Amino acid sequence: MEPRSSLPPKILEILERGGTLLTGNQRAARTLQQAFDRDCRDRGLPHWQPPAIFAWETWTTNLWHQRLISGTASRILLNTSQEFHIWRSIVASDPRHTSLQKIDSLAEMAAQAWKLLCAYRGQSRLGQLGVSQDTRTFQRWTQAFIHRCESDLYLSPSELDAALASSRRHLPADDLLLIGFDRFTPSQAALIAALREAGSTIAELQAAPPAEQRLLAGSETVDAELLDVATRIRQSLEAKPNDRVAVIHPDIASARGEIDRIFRHVLAPELESITNLAAGPYEFSLGQPLAQAPMVASALSILRLATRPLSVSDLSRLLLSPWFTPASELHLRAEFDAQVIRSSTLLHPQLSLSDLLRASGHRHYKERLSNLLRQLHSLQRAAERLVPESAVQKPFADWADGIREILRDAGWSTFIRETSTEFQTRRKWESALDEFATLDFEGTRPNFAEALGHLESILDRTLFAPESRDAPIQIMSPQEAAGSHFDAIFFLGCSDLSWPPSTGTNPLLGWRLQRDLGMPGSDPALDRAHASAITQRLIASASTITFSYARQTEDSHQWPSPLLAGLNLQPAEPLPSESPAAQMILEEITDSASIPITHPKVRGGSSVLKNQAACAFRAFAEGRLASTPLKSQTAGLDAGERGSLVHATMAKLWGDLGSQAALRALTLDERRALLDSAITHALHRVSESHGSAAPAWDSAYLAIQRTRIHRLVGSWLEMELERSPFKIKSLEQNFDNVSFGPLELDIRVDRIDTLLDQDANPAGDILLDYKTGDAKPAHWQGDRPDDPQLPLYAAISDPGTLAGVGFISLRPGKAMGLTGYADEDEVLLKRAKFDANSLEDQIELWRNVLITLADSFAAGDATVGPKIYPTTCKYCAQRILCRVDPAVLASRLDDEDADDEAATGESYG
């Protein structure tokens, strides 16, 4: 028995007699071609003639090319990039346009307006456009565009339908079947009429019987709607594994991320691991800009790096890209990125090729990164050879060859074995380069920067989607589903606010003209009628269709779309209250095992005890697993680096002074000069400490930092003069391998002052720590102190020699001061209240608390127990490792911020 065809009999009939199928979109044409090929394979045919199935744009383009070959036409049909190039040159050369928008966006807007005008046969109404500054500008640009096309014998793709219809004697007399057209534009309707007059037989595929089962499902939120639909699809496919299911969404581009996240969780939970790259049971038919494909993005980063700096984030992506980095060097480059590139202090968070070469020469990585150095030197030589500073101008075709050469020299895409998707991406990339070369049609000779800008524009406008895997679940827009048939359809987002979708008008065309011609967005009644036709077509595209909507969004309440009225929809059966994941049987394992340290030496110094007090798991992750976050790049110095700059200034300044008496002996001008010298030293020191990748800072930025520190430290020096006499005992003194309980710590004390009596004899020491952020003595107290740094310093000191322990708050305004613990009032500028009878007792209390924390860390305690949940977790970098639910944490933090905002009247948005 011969297998039953999946194609409707009408389609098979047309194809068998040599007719042509025309579809309303490329996806429908691909789907029908795949179905035809599948039928031929099922019938056991060894070979077959490809069917004449084309999208409308492809078929009309072929007709014009045939006319050019036969000599019956002389105008050259532009491709979309060539047409855009003309619009761009017209916009760029217009001396009267004053828009703040970029030229590319204006050219794109003008091209879209021209396409609309041609599709609705409004060229003859061009003289009526001058009703506003925008429309007059477009009128001027259009006249220049028409003149350019006529003088150079170019044909815009937007005018193709009209050009074909205007010469009926050259149109073919074909047998045509139209599939998946929800409506015809006036220019398409005119061409169809001309084809009929030329003898073509034209018919439309009749709609199949409407779906027998039509359901409506409402959910409380958008996420709940996606979860509901995903669960229903899972149930449907478990019952009928061979069914083909379509998921329709009115705005698939914006909803794609959320759909993928929830569908992956429900339909393919095994793919939630980022290391699992297997294909899932669903696929999106809508492509993404080719420039966003990882393979192409890495190529663009290499080309940009050849001529200009890259942002640190883009540079990181390039260093970790498999199309630029061999797998054997991936971990090393990741370490280099984290330890050198991201640790560099940059005024502008970007690095040039020379900066990257200099950073790659780091003493720890120079020999180990030989492959990277070789690639960068090759890229540099290629850039010097092909892209000299003299900005040589070349034809686009020459630049296309040069781009291939640059990428080849840089080792792009030579370290990976290509998959099918990567092969298709490379083929699309080569096609884009070929299209880029066609911009030579006007003889323009750009420099490399201009040529790269044109290539980026082509890649941004070129949509790419890998060939369909014929997955059982197809996710698409309502328009893409035209001409396809499924076993079940789930139409998401069918609310009164989303369907029909809001359609805007083109600002370069007058509203009255758009209204008169019936353009999209100009008449709500026409838009509703179009959406209604699509709805009716979808109902006839499957035996079961489920419309769904969310009752509530972040902004408002929603109801079912009015277009669903009269469709006789039945309520969908409610689903179980628990999600599929919640219905799984989970096995709970209590992890109570600990891993004691095997060596007393630990990294981190006092931060180990600080983290242990905040959360034992954080201390374990940072102190034992060496888990540290990547530094996020900001413009200039971040808060920590600005604090280090102040620390370095104070160390140099008091190293030169040595005592309060020396400070008191200086005149005001001498003090300022000494402080300026200390700031210069600190700026140089901080710059050197941040690696070889850091370029020189701008003088204006350095001047701002110098002024800030002058004011801050200058004000503090006035307060230093109010203190009891003292001299400096030590500055930034390091204490290595200090035994503290079961641990060995490396400690550095910012400053130790020795108090002097009336005879200038030593009268006790003061441990001091500089603080540029929030600091309070209360942070030293309790069983889990927030900042145990100074208590630790005191605990390892000889209590009999200490007269006080305090921090110098280097903050502008009233927060500036010297606060801490001492037995006598005159020791500090402000004395806090003890938790004990004396300073010596207080230090003993601190020692006991910190020894307990050290014992807990050494014993391997890694309990997830934040001191104050969720505040302690807010800025913890280990949240990706611990078992705190991120969704619950985010909710708690939002509630906490809202409470703070309500209490203070301040917004933190």
Side-chain angles (χ1 to χ4, degrees):
M1 180 177 178
E2 187 173 335
R4 184 174 62 88
S5 174
S6 60
L7 292 172
K10 182 68 173 177
I11 291 179
L12 293 174
E13 179 186 341
I14 291 289
L15 293 177
E16 286 175 0
R17 65 173 184 246
T20 300
L21 304 186
L22 297 184
T23 65
N25 57 74
Q26 294 287 354
R27 187 195 179 280
R30 291 196 303 269
T31 301
L32 292 172
Q33 287 171 346
Q34 290 169 354
F36 180 86
D37 293 340
R38 187 167 54 247
D39 283 351
C40 291
R41 286 194 299 268
D42 292 344
R43 289 158 55 190
L45 298 180
H47 52 79
W48 56 88
Q49 188 72 21
I53 303 175
F54 304 101
W56 177 273
E57 293 82 1
T58 303
W59 184 71
T60 54
T61 299
N62 290 340
L63 284 183
W64 190 260
H65 286 161
Q66 290 170 11
R67 289 193 54 190
L68 286 174
I69 294 172
S70 65
T72 58
S74 57
R75 298 177 67 184
I76 298 174
L77 179 62
L78 301 173
N79 59 38
T80 54
S81 294
Q82 291 171 328
E83 181 182 18
F84 177 81
H85 184 73
I86 294 177
W87 280 112
R88 191 185 187 283
S89 64
I90 290 172
V91 173
S93 61
D94 185 358
R96 286 185 283 176
H97 98 82
T98 58
S99 173
L100 297 178
Q101 287 185 290
K102 293 182 178 180
I103 291 176
D104 280 2
S105 63
L106 287 173
E108 185 70 29
M109 193 181 301
Q112 290 297 325
W114 173 245
K115 184 176 181 179
L116 269 175
L117 199 63
C118 293
Y120 286 81
R121 307 181 74 186
Q123 300 97 312
S124 61
R125 307 274 296 271
L126 188 60
Q128 304 173 15
L129 284 178
V131 295
S132 68
Q133 182 176 350
D134 287 343
T135 56
R136 285 192 294 270
T137 299
F138 176 66
Q139 186 182 53
R140 187 168 64 249
W141 292 345
T142 304
Q143 289 168 347
F145 180 82
I146 293 174
H147 175 74
R148 179 87 65 88
C149 290
E150 289 178 347
S151 62
D152 293 337
L153 293 179
Y154 296 147
L155 177 63
S156 163
S158 303
E159 298 179 281
L160 179 56
D161 288 348
L164 289 169
S166 64
S167 53
R168 292 179 176 83
R169 66 180 184 275
H170 299 299
L171 290 175
D174 285 347
D175 190 2
L176 303 176
L177 179 64
L178 306 181
I179 301 173
F181 289 84
D182 294 312
R183 64 178 172 187
F184 295 100
T185 64
S187 65
Q188 288 176 324
L191 178 54
I192 290 172
L195 286 165
R196 284 197 171 102
E197 291 182 15
S200 290
T201 302
I202 301 176
E204 285 192 68
L205 183 67
Q206 297 300 315
E212 298 176 359
Q213 189 175 28
R214 311 176 202 176
L215 306 174
L216 177 65
S219 303
E220 289 304 315
T221 64
V222 173
D223 276 0
E225 178 190 7
L226 292 175
L227 182 61
D228 179 279
V229 168
T231 305
R232 293 181 188 277
I233 292 174
R234 178 169 181 152
Q235 291 178 345
S236 175
L237 289 179
E238 286 175 348
K240 300 177 180 179
N242 296 324
D243 275 6
R244 296 182 69 247
V245 177
V247 177
I248 311 294
H249 195 287
D251 188 8
I252 194 69
S254 63
R256 180 171 183 150
E258 283 301 298
I259 293 175
D260 184 48
R261 178 179 65 84
I262 292 179
F263 276 36
R264 184 180 297 268
H265 175 68
V266 176
L267 298 171
E270 68 279 3
L271 299 183
E272 293 205 73
S273 170
I274 60 174
T275 61
N276 193 336
L277 302 180
Y282 60 89
E283 61 183 352
F284 292 87
S285 64
L286 179 67
Q288 293 181 302
L290 184 58
Q292 296 178 13
M295 184 178 184
V296 176
S298 65
L300 287 176
S301 293
I302 293 171
L303 296 172
R304 292 164 183 156
L305 184 61
T307 57
R308 63 178 187 262
L310 274 186
S311 69
V312 171
S313 58
D314 285 344
L315 192 57
S316 295
R317 280 191 287 269
L318 178 60
L319 288 174
L320 303 180
S321 168
W323 295 279
F324 184 68
T325 298
S328 59
E329 207 171 272
L330 184 61
H331 291 294
L332 180 59
R333 293 198 191 183
E335 178 188 327
F336 168 71
D337 174 51
Q339 300 296 332
V340 178
I341 299 300
R342 288 181 175 270
S343 66
S344 300
T345 300
L346 308 171
L347 177 56
H348 305 291
Q350 55 187 21
L351 293 173
S352 66
L353 177 57
S354 59
D355 295 330
L356 184 56
L357 272 167
R358 186 167 59 251
S360 302
H362 191 283
R363 63 183 184 277
H364 294 309
Y365 296 98
K366 185 175 182 179
E367 298 297 329
R368 302 160 66 198
L369 287 173
S370 56
N371 279 336
L372 176 61
L373 280 169
R374 183 166 54 253
Q375 286 176 266
L376 295 178
H377 281 299
S378 297
L379 178 59
Q380 187 180 51
R381 287 192 296 270
E384 291 171 350
R385 183 173 66 254
L386 297 170
V387 195
E389 294 182 1
S390 57
V392 170
Q393 296 176 326
K394 297 181 181 180
F396 284 95
D398 288 356
W399 282 127
D401 292 337
I403 285 170
R404 292 185 175 97
E405 186 176 342
I406 289 175
L407 294 176
R408 184 180 63 250
D409 290 349
W412 176 69
S413 194
T414 60
F415 304 114
I416 190 169
R417 185 176 180 179
E418 291 184 352
T419 64
S420 172
T421 298
E422 289 154 357
F423 173 78
Q424 294 174 59
T425 306
R426 181 188 288 276
R427 188 171 60 183
K428 195 72 172 180
W429 158 262
E430 290 295 334
S431 175
L433 277 181
D434 291 340
E435 185 171 335
F436 166 76
T438 66
L439 297 184
D440 281 330
F441 73 110
E442 285 201 307
T444 307
R445 299 173 68 90
N447 59 36
F448 181 78
E450 294 168 340
L452 183 56
H454 285 289
L455 178 59
E456 290 172 340
S457 178
I458 290 174
L459 296 173
D460 284 334
R461 297 195 312 272
T462 301
L463 292 182
F464 169 70
E467 293 179 0
S468 173
R469 299 179 284 103
D470 202 21
I473 306 170
Q474 297 289 318
I475 306 173
M476 64 191 73
S477 68
Q479 292 76 17
E480 289 180 304
S484 299
H485 193 275
F486 304 91
D487 295 294
I489 292 178
F490 292 85
F491 196 155
L492 294 162
C494 281
S495 70
D496 58 329
L497 300 182
S498 302
W499 188 250
S502 176
T503 305
T505 56
N506 193 297
L508 298 183
L509 299 173
W511 178 84
R512 183 175 295 278
L513 174 65
Q514 296 182 70
R515 173 86 175 198
D516 290 346
L517 297 176
M519 292 183 180
S522 63
D523 187 343
L526 291 177
D527 292 339
R528 283 195 300 271
H530 181 222
S532 179
I534 293 176
T535 305
Q536 294 293 337
R537 184 248 301 162
L538 290 173
I539 289 178
S541 299
S543 56
T544 300
I545 184 167
T546 302
F547 296 92
S548 69
Y549 72 101
R551 299 185 184 93
Q552 190 70 42
T553 67
E554 294 180 356
D555 302 320
S556 62
H557 195 76
Q558 297 188 131
W559 285 266
S561 169
L563 298 181
L564 304 183
L567 298 182
N568 299 321
L569 303 183
Q570 301 298 315
E573 292 184 7
L575 291 170
S577 58
E578 294 183 337
S579 67
Q583 297 174 31
M584 297 173 63
I585 300 176
L586 301 178
E587 180 182 1
E588 291 190 9
I589 299 176
T590 302
D591 184 7
S592 58
S594 60
I595 307 175
I597 61 173
T598 58
H599 192 281
K601 180 68 175 179
V602 295
R603 64 193 301 273
S606 64
S607 65
V608 171
L609 303 182
K610 178 179 179 179
N611 290 336
Q612 189 72 21
C615 177
F617 182 83
R618 179 173 181 175
F620 179 82
E622 295 188 12
R624 302 282 298 279
L625 303 181
S627 171
T628 56
L630 288 176
K631 179 184 175 184
S632 51
Q633 288 293 324
T634 57
L637 298 166
D638 61 25
E641 292 163 340
R642 291 195 298 272
S644 298
L645 189 56
V646 172
H647 277 61
T649 300
M650 293 288 285
K652 174 61 176 173
L653 178 67
W654 282 108
D656 292 339
L657 286 170
S659 68
Q660 184 194 55
L663 175 63
R664 198 178 297 278
L666 296 178
T667 65
L668 184 59
D669 288 341
E670 290 172 335
R671 188 194 308 171
R672 289 174 177 169
L674 187 64
L675 176 55
D676 193 66
S677 175
I679 295 172
T680 300
H681 173 82
L683 285 170
H684 180 70
R685 175 179 164 184
V686 171
S687 178
E688 282 189 335
S689 69
H690 284 285
S692 57
W697 292 344
D698 291 352
S699 57
Y701 181 76
L702 295 180
I704 292 173
Q705 292 301 318
R706 189 179 297 275
T707 300
R708 180 183 70 85
I709 299 174
H710 255 294
R711 292 175 178 173
L712 189 66
V713 178
S715 299
W716 168 244
L717 291 180
E718 295 292 341
M719 302 188 75
E720 292 271 32
L721 294 174
E722 299 176 8
R723 294 177 54 196
S724 300
F726 65 88
K727 66 179 180 179
I728 302 298
K729 181 176 182 179
S730 68
L731 294 168
E732 296 188 342
Q733 183 174 358
N734 293 317
F735 299 91
D736 297 333
N737 300 323
V738 175
S739 294
F740 190 77
L743 306 180
E744 289 183 4
L745 306 174
D746 292 338
I747 295 171
R748 187 179 71 174
V749 182
D750 283 350
R751 175 173 160 184
I752 302 177
D753 289 357
T754 297
L755 295 177
L756 303 175
D757 60 17
Q758 294 179 349
D759 299 323
N761 295 319
D765 295 338
I766 307 177
L767 288 174
L768 296 175
D769 192 48
Y770 299 127
K771 295 294 184 184
T772 54
D774 184 33
K776 300 175 183 177
H779 294 168
W780 303 338
Q781 303 298 74
D783 294 336
R784 300 173 70 175
D786 294 327
D787 189 3
Q789 186 176 13
L790 269 174
L792 176 62
Y793 299 164
I796 64 173
S797 303
D798 182 359
T801 64
L802 289 182
V805 177
F807 59 84
I808 297 172
S809 180
L810 290 170
R811 304 177 70 190
K814 295 182 180 180
M816 184 174 290
L818 171 56
T819 308
Y821 293 149
D823 288 324
E824 305 295 336
D825 289 337
E826 64 273 9
V827 172
L828 305 170
L829 295 179
K830 183 178 180 181
R831 187 162 68 105
K833 185 178 179 180
F834 282 135
D835 282 354
N837 296 324
S838 65
L839 178 60
E840 187 171 349
D841 292 342
Q842 180 64 63
I843 294 174
E844 183 61 26
L845 183 60
W846 284 338
R847 182 181 291 107
N848 293 334
V849 168
L850 297 181
I851 288 290
T852 300
L853 292 174
D855 289 339
S856 177
F857 177 83
D861 180 13
T863 305
V864 178
K867 178 182 177 181
I868 304 175
Y869 178 79
T871 306
T872 304
C873 305
K874 189 168 187 178
Y875 300 108
C876 178
Q878 308 307 326
R879 284 158 52 178
I880 196 172
L881 293 179
C882 77
R883 296 177 292 277
V884 173
D885 187 336
V888 175
L889 176 61
S891 176
R892 295 283 185 88
L893 289 174
D894 288 343
D895 293 342
E896 186 179 77
D897 289 343
D899 292 342
D900 291 343
E901 184 176 334
T904 62
E906 297 177 350
S907 174
Y908 301 93

